[in-house]
């Protein structure tokens, strides 16, 4: 049943605020994040979402050199250690806030009586993680905060990759180029030890995904016939193509699944209060977010010129 006046009164009585001023308990924070991740499929499948337990977290990756074995001989000391490379990337969450206002009219028309607070929380958590996904890709602190209040919050993966000398961002493309040609160049640039096709993903904008689908459909083959009507996933040389709805069509990324990471801080507050003049309820969420990638050399970034 839709909400009635008495239901609105009950919701108004229930402040999410706690004795600590609205700070979520650890299990509540984990549930909020998990709920959002589960509703945003691309985060659930392709990103590593991690808890940052301090002001920043170092992601140390130990990379062992190949062909380390040597012939052994009893009584002969092994004298030459083999190379171990430790690469370090950092997650340093920035404080973010979200302000929602839900009117009584909206509640009556759109929220069912049973579990209204649960429904509201689920919607908040989903949108919070959608925004986190967007910011993780497109954040750019060089933008004017007045003109771009959202994207200027912190630097996202693309800005960090362009500034990273260990990321291969030399491949360029134009609108007229076939995507299959671009994909081939990107795969050729991937270091051999990271070229496991089952783990690799091409991440691209929906418009480029559709363009490749049309390229495939244009082939005078059985596969082309299938592509013209199929809704199955697309692949290039065994590597899966993944649409990133928030990625612009001037970038294509090739990397391992789960190489991208979103970090959230331990401190999150969700508070609400009744605004009697507006006949609405105000909610403010405050948290901490950052994004990065673990392996620089396993990331290929192609740019449109």
């Amino acid at each position: 049943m839709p909400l009635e006046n008495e239901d609105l009164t009950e919701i108004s009585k229930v402040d999410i605020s706690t004795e600590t001023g609205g700070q979520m308990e650890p299990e509540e924070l984990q549930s909020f994040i998990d709920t959002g991740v589960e509703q945003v499929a691309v985060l659930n499948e392709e990103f590593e979402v991690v808890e940052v337990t301090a002001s920043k977290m170092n992601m140390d990756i130990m990379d062992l050199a190949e062909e380390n074995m040597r012939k052994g001989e009893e009584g002969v000391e092994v004298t030459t250690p083999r190379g171990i490379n430790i690469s370090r990337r950092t997650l340093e969450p920035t404080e973010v806030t979200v302000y929602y206002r839900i009117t009584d009219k909206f509640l009556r028309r759109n929220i069912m009586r049973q579990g209204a607070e649960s429904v509201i929380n689920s919607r908040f958590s989903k949108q919070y993680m959608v925004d986190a996904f967007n910011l993780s890709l497109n954040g750019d602190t060089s933008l004017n905060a007045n003109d771009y209040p959202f994207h200027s919050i912190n630097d996202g993966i693309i800005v960090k990759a362009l500034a990273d000398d260990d990321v291969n961002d030399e491949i360029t493309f134009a609108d007229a180029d076939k995507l299959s040609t671009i994909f081939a160049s990107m795969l050729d640039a991937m270091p051999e030890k990271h070229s496991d096709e089952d783990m690799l993903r091409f991440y691209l904008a929906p418009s480029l995904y559709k363009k490749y689908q049309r390229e495939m459909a244009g082939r005078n083959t059985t596969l082309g016939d299938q592509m013209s009507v199929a809704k199955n996933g697309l692949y290039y040389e065994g590597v899966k193509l993944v649409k990133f709805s928030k990625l612009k069509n001037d970038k294509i990324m090739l990397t391992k699944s789960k190489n991208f990471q979103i970090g959230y801080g331990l401190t999150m507050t969700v508070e609400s209060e009744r605004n009697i003049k507006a006949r609405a309820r105000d909610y403010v969420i405050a948290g901490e977010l950052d994004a990065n990638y673990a392996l620089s050399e396993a990331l290929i970034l192609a740019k449109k010129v």
Side-chain angles (χ1 to χ4, degrees):
M1 296 177 61
L3 289 167
E4 303 293 346
N5 284 335
E6 58 268 24
D7 300 307
L8 295 174
T9 302
E10 288 303 310
I11 290 178
S12 297
K13 291 178 181 177
V14 180
D15 278 340
I16 298 180
S17 304
T18 68
E19 293 178 359
T20 58
Q23 182 168 323
M24 286 184 169
E25 296 296 329
E27 59 272 16
E28 294 174 322
L29 171 58
Q30 188 65 57
S31 176
F32 184 90
I33 296 296
D34 288 347
T35 299
V37 171
E38 288 169 3
Q39 295 180 90
V40 184
V42 71
L43 286 180
N44 199 19
E45 296 169 5
E46 301 297 336
F47 276 67
E48 194 75 41
V49 181
V50 299
E51 180 182 78
V52 180
T53 58
S55 60
K56 65 179 180 180
M57 184 179 78
N58 293 322
M59 300 178 292
D60 293 339
I61 307 297
M62 184 173 67
D63 186 21
L64 300 180
E66 297 181 358
E67 299 182 1
N68 288 323
M69 291 183 183
R70 296 295 182 267
K71 184 177 181 180
E73 183 177 348
E74 188 174 349
V76 178
E77 182 180 353
V78 178
T79 59
T80 305
R82 309 310 299 168
I84 296 179
N85 179 46
I86 304 294
S87 59
R88 170 168 289 185
R89 304 293 302 171
T90 301
L91 286 170
E92 192 168 359
T94 300
E95 184 176 351
V96 296
T97 58
V98 185
Y99 172 33
Y100 294 108
R101 171 169 289 177
I102 301 181
T103 64
D104 293 351
K105 181 183 290 186
F106 177 86
L107 285 170
R108 289 193 189 95
R109 292 180 176 180
N110 296 281
I111 306 292
M112 303 304 289
R113 176 181 296 179
Q114 296 298 321
E117 281 291 336
S118 176
V119 171
I120 291 170
N121 186 65
S122 177
R123 294 188 181 184
F124 284 175
S125 61
K126 178 180 180 180
Q127 189 57 51
Y128 186 85
M129 295 313 295
V130 167
D131 283 352
F133 171 52
N134 187 344
L135 191 61
S136 75
L137 295 175
N138 302 309
D140 185 350
T141 56
S142 70
L143 297 172
N144 185 294
N146 292 323
D147 297 331
Y148 301 93
F150 174 74
H151 288 115
S152 63
I153 291 172
N154 61 14
D155 286 330
I157 287 168
I158 292 174
V159 167
K160 291 176 179 177
L162 290 172
D164 186 347
D165 291 338
D166 293 326
V167 169
N168 186 328
D169 60 356
E170 300 300 318
I171 297 172
T172 60
F173 64 94
D175 287 331
D177 293 339
K178 285 188 174 294
L179 285 167
S180 55
T181 303
I182 302 166
F183 295 158
S185 298
M186 295 177 75
L187 280 176
D188 289 344
M190 179 63 70
E192 189 71 25
K193 62 182 177 180
H194 299 304
S195 59
D196 182 355
E197 63 186 30
D198 293 330
M199 292 296 297
L200 290 176
R201 301 285 188 272
F202 284 108
Y203 297 119
L204 67 170
S207 60
L208 294 180
Y209 187 94
K210 178 64 70 175
K211 179 181 177 180
Y212 181 66
Q213 188 175 38
R214 288 170 177 165
E215 281 183 17
M216 298 296 292
R219 294 184 177 183
N220 188 22
T221 62
T222 302
L223 179 61
D225 293 339
Q226 292 174 350
M227 286 295 101
S228 65
V229 296
K231 293 185 178 181
N232 298 329
L234 296 179
Y235 292 80
Y236 178 80
E237 293 188 0
V239 177
K240 185 177 181 180
L241 274 63
V242 178
K243 288 181 285 187
F244 272 5
S245 61
K246 303 302 180 181
L247 185 61
K248 299 176 183 178
N249 64 4
D250 62 348
K251 302 287 190 303
I252 302 172
M253 294 184 287
L254 171 66
T255 192
K256 291 182 174 181
S257 178
K258 302 288 187 178
N259 191 32
F260 295 150
Q261 301 193 348
I262 290 179
Y264 62 93
L266 285 178
T267 302
M268 175 177 279
T269 60
V270 181
E271 300 176 274
S272 68
E273 66 178 8
R274 174 74 179 163
N275 188 320
I276 59 175
K277 293 181 180 180
R279 287 177 294 168
R281 190 160 193 80
D282 291 340
Y283 293 82
V284 175
I285 303 172
E288 299 171 322
L289 285 172
D290 193 20
N292 215 322
Y293 44 87
L295 286 170
S296 298
E297 64 175 16
L299 175 57
I300 311 296
L301 177 63
K303 304 168 294 186
K304 184 162 74 172
V305 292

